[in-house]
Amino acid sequence: MAAPVSVASSSLTPPGHHRFLYLLAAVAQAAGPLLTQPFVQRILSPEQWGRVSFAISLISVGLIVILAGLPLIITRTYFEAGIGPKHARSLAGFGILQSAGLGVLAVACAGAVALMSGQFTDQLSVLLALLSVGLLGCIQMCLAVLRAEHRASLFVGITIGAQTLGHLAGLGAVTFFSPTAASYLGAFSIIVLITALWSAVAVRPGAPFEFPRVIKSALKTSMPVLPHSIALVLMLQGESFLLTTMHGPALYGKYGAVLPMALGPLAVVLALSNVWDTQVLSQHGKDPHGIVKRTQREGAVVGVALALAGSSAAVFATNILVKSPTVEQFQLARLLPSIAMGYVVFLMSTTQMVAVGKTRLLAVITPLTAGVALLAMSWPASSESLFFVGLVKVSCFAALGAIYLLVARRYGKGLVHARPLLIGLAATAGITAIMLSLPTDFVTGLVTFGLAALLMAGAAAFLFLKRRQSALSAEEKRQSDVT
């Protein structure tokens, strides 16, 4: 195990190759449900698959509520002068206590409701999902410290343990034990519990209440994030509640079958945010060396690339993921990857607001946007129009990102560089519109996937050669200065 790194002996910005490691973590995280879904969907009945799909989505977004922004604050605290790392570890200990407590409370409340309604057996998968959310919250607190310490390899190992192995264990459970959603989630929860213990041993979090002033300051910043986080869950998860309530789990299963086309890009964005957040938060709202500007430009490029890759691969991927897919599912799969760009703009803007401690408006803007989104979703949800449900979701995230971009710039124009992010939103909309206009047959899907892959490979090669040329020029200049 690598020794913890102090701020004094480490760079404030992560090494470049850590992007690859965090992307590896994202690929591993997204690979879990993607690898298991084709098999699980065919083993389980439509109703049981709908329950599994709902539980996976609940786990993916339930973390946002239970974390309440604390991992970002832990990372920011780590880079404070003096004993920042010690404060961060103590805050991580408090966050673990909070996550575990909220997880137990959620399970208790949901369990009581299920018992009173006589549906405890039917809701067992939901209870196990809520338990997993609490455990994953504990893991995220530890990962916040690992991220600040630049211990990316251990970060990747813990992420793979919690996500990929958990889903593989769920597949094994429904294959060899019992073909039910509860069996899948039970096996998943066991793996997450083991990984949570591993992460705690690796990080050695501090005493939760050792520094009361640090906790008070963190809570002051994070409390407005709680209603914001709940509203964000409604934006990410609202359609699942609407569709399940109105039409039952089977219809949501059709929607959830292509939801990985959104969750995959979001997982990549969240993985790279481990680098982006560290770079942005370490600057404390300033940008003397252009680090924040480069980070936001990189986010815009990633958002557009994810929209292009996901939308172009949608038909090909849907044929693998979904049993007897419909035209609507193909089009929905083409649409959902564009959510990543809106989330990038939202993430860049709100991270800067956390960096300067201006979080109060989070408790107002996101709940209002979530309310509008739910109202807008309710009409297509009632008519079983899955594509338009997805269109409302993607559009509301783009709007939320744009609103926060304006709000962050209100606190300082240099906090968010609007031009690349707005260009990214426009380019993403254009790419998605083009893809939606194409036929949904397998050959067209394969061709678009191949062309997009070639285009992205060419762009990557160009950027690599350009960086290499810049590095060689800088080396030549350095040698000439020496001589």
Side-chain angles (χ1 to χ4, degrees):
M1 183 191 307
V5 183
S6 67
V7 177
S9 63
S10 66
S11 171
L12 291 177
T13 58
H17 72 277
H18 281 194
R19 286 173 173 76
F20 171 76
L21 292 175
Y22 287 125
L23 276 174
L24 179 61
V27 170
Q29 184 174 349
L34 287 175
L35 289 173
T36 59
Q37 178 175 313
F39 304 101
V40 174
Q41 192 177 10
R42 287 159 176 80
I43 293 171
L44 300 182
S45 67
E47 181 177 350
Q48 290 298 319
W49 160 246
R51 295 185 188 281
V52 169
S53 181
F54 177 82
I56 292 173
S57 184
L58 178 62
I59 289 170
S60 297
V61 300
L63 272 173
I64 297 172
V65 168
I66 209 165
L67 296 177
L70 265 182
L72 279 180
I73 297 171
I74 291 170
T75 301
R76 187 188 71 174
T77 302
Y78 186 93
F79 292 108
E80 291 178 352
I83 55 173
K86 192 171 183 180
H87 285 168
R89 277 197 172 76
S90 176
L91 197 54
F94 174 80
I96 289 171
L97 190 63
Q98 172 187 283
S99 296
L102 289 176
V104 170
L105 181 62
V107 171
C109 292
V113 172
L115 281 172
M116 287 188 291
S117 63
Q119 296 181 333
F120 185 83
T121 302
D122 291 338
Q123 297 302 316
L124 186 56
S125 59
V126 173
L127 298 180
L128 290 167
L130 291 173
L131 175 64
S132 296
V133 169
L135 293 170
L136 286 167
C138 298
I139 293 172
Q140 288 299 317
M141 300 300 174
C142 295
L143 291 180
V145 177
L146 294 177
R147 174 177 61 193
E149 293 177 341
H150 307 331
R151 299 163 73 187
S153 298
L154 189 55
F155 187 106
V156 173
I158 290 173
T159 302
I160 291 174
Q163 296 290 339
T164 310
L165 295 183
H167 287 292
L168 291 174
L171 173 60
V174 298
T175 303
F176 301 108
F177 181 65
S178 173
T180 62
S183 179
Y184 187 101
L185 270 297
F188 181 89
S189 300
I190 291 172
I191 298 299
V192 172
L193 173 61
I194 294 171
T195 311
L197 295 174
W198 175 25
S199 64
V201 171
V203 170
R204 300 189 303 278
F209 302 104
E210 185 177 358
F211 303 100
R213 290 184 180 179
V214 174
I215 294 174
K216 183 178 179 180
S217 175
L219 289 177
K220 183 179 179 181
T221 304
S222 68
M223 285 308 294
V225 181
L226 184 57
H228 156 83
S229 299
I230 294 172
L232 192 58
V233 166
L234 291 177
M235 290 188 66
L236 286 165
Q237 185 74 15
E239 75 275 27
S240 65
F241 292 110
L242 289 173
L243 292 171
T244 303
T245 302
M246 292 177 178
H247 306 289
L251 179 65
Y252 176 72
K254 292 181 180 179
Y255 182 91
V258 295
L259 196 57
M261 300 305 297
L263 296 178
L266 283 177
V268 172
V269 171
L270 291 172
L272 287 176
S273 72
N274 292 293
V275 173
W276 297 338
D277 290 347
T278 304
Q279 291 176 327
V280 171
L281 293 172
S282 65
Q283 303 302 306
H284 300 288
K286 300 180 176 65
D287 195 22
H289 306 294
I291 292 173
V292 173
K293 185 175 183 179
R294 288 194 298 272
T295 300
Q296 292 171 355
R297 189 186 299 123
E298 180 183 324
V301 172
V302 169
V304 173
L306 288 172
L308 176 61
S311 191
S312 64
V315 171
F316 177 72
T318 302
N319 275 293
I320 297 173
L321 291 173
V322 183
K323 182 181 179 181
S324 303
T326 63
V327 172
E328 184 177 43
Q329 285 177 306
F330 283 127
Q331 294 291 69
L332 182 61
R334 282 172 163 170
L335 169 70
L336 289 176
S338 61
I339 196 174
M341 188 63 236
Y343 201 88
V344 165
V345 181
F346 158 82
L347 188 68
M348 294 294 177
S349 304
T350 53
T351 301
Q352 278 289 58
M353 292 172 69
V354 172
V356 296
K358 304 292 186 180
T359 57
R360 289 185 180 180
L361 282 177
L362 295 177
V364 178
I365 295 172
T366 312
L368 287 176
T369 308
V372 172
L374 285 175
L375 286 174
M377 283 181 187
S378 61
W379 179 74
S382 64
S383 60
E384 302 185 21
S385 180
L386 301 181
F387 175 80
F388 284 100
V389 168
L391 181 61
V392 170
K393 178 173 182 169
V394 168
S395 301
C396 286
F397 264 99
L400 185 67
I403 291 169
Y404 274 120
L405 185 150
L406 295 175
V407 171
R409 284 175 63 84
R410 175 178 169 233
Y411 296 117
K413 290 188 177 180
L415 290 179
V416 181
H417 301 275
R419 185 177 178 183
L421 295 173
L422 292 177
I423 290 174
L425 283 173
T428 296
I431 289 168
T432 305
I434 292 171
M435 291 298 174
L436 289 173
S437 68
L438 298 176
T440 58
D441 61 280
F442 184 76
V443 173
T444 301
L446 198 59
V447 170
T448 58
F449 177 55
L451 290 175
L454 288 173
L455 177 63
M456 294 181 69
F462 172 77
L463 291 174
F464 173 78
L465 292 174
K466 186 177 179 181
R467 283 192 176 187
R468 186 178 180 184
Q469 183 62 40
S470 298
L472 289 173
S473 298
E475 179 63 22
E476 290 174 359
K477 185 178 184 302
R478 188 187 66 82
Q479 289 181 355
S480 64
D481 289 342
V482 172
T483 56

